[in-house]
Amino acid sequence: MFVMNASFEIDKEHEDRLAHKAKKNKQEILEADGVVSFECWRKEHRETVEYVFVSKWEKQEDFKAWISREEHVEEHKEMNKKKKVEEPAVKIKKTLRSFDLFEIE
């Protein structure tokens, strides 16, 4: 089993962006081949809010296939274009962590 943990932190006034992303990701991920589960965790900080998307996959290759699909790649290209023209820039801190299941004998 393979677990992907993607953390997104944004200022509270733009939290709706992360809420929308969570709903969209859930719909898309649950239709993917090899997905076991998807959860979204939320943590409020003093000035920001953090959403952590936790997806579990049968194997890492399943996750790689999901993020490599054309619509996902194009979505990131569009977001990068939008970042360049958006005023004022909305900063999102993104942290990715992945794990393989460790079998305890």
Side-chain angles (χ1 to χ4, degrees):
M1 185 177 303
F2 176 77
V3 177
M4 177 52 74
N5 176 322
S7 170
F8 300 90
E9 190 171 347
I10 196 167
D11 58 72
K12 288 181 180 179
E13 69 183 69
H14 294 100
E15 180 178 359
D16 60 319
R17 293 180 185 212
L18 291 184
H20 175 74
K21 181 172 178 53
K23 289 176 188 173
K24 183 177 183 296
N25 277 14
K26 181 179 180 179
Q27 291 171 344
E28 292 176 353
I29 286 176
L30 291 178
E31 296 174 2
D33 291 335
V35 72
V36 175
S37 66
F38 174 80
E39 296 176 329
C40 179
W41 296 76
R42 181 184 179 278
K43 182 173 184 174
E44 196 166 318
H45 301 280
R46 193 171 54 161
E47 296 179 13
T48 61
V49 64
E50 179 179 6
Y51 281 46
V52 180
F53 302 157
V54 180
S55 56
K56 294 181 183 177
W57 303 82
E58 292 290 337
K59 54 190 183 287
Q60 185 175 7
E61 291 75 22
D62 294 328
F63 171 76
K64 286 181 178 179
W66 182 75
I67 61 166
S68 298
R69 66 194 199 293
E70 187 175 334
E71 62 195 55
H72 185 79
V73 172
E74 287 301 317
E75 180 181 339
H76 278 267
K77 286 180 183 177
E78 287 300 314
M79 286 187 322
N80 287 333
K81 287 179 191 175
K82 195 175 182 180
K83 277 184 195 177
K84 293 177 183 178
V85 298
E86 197 172 74
E87 284 295 328
V90 176
K91 294 182 182 180
I92 299 177
K93 178 183 173 188
K94 179 179 178 181
T95 305
L96 300 174
R97 298 179 71 203
S98 61
F99 305 88
D100 292 309
L101 181 64
F102 176 71
E103 295 285 347
I104 300 172
E105 298 176 20

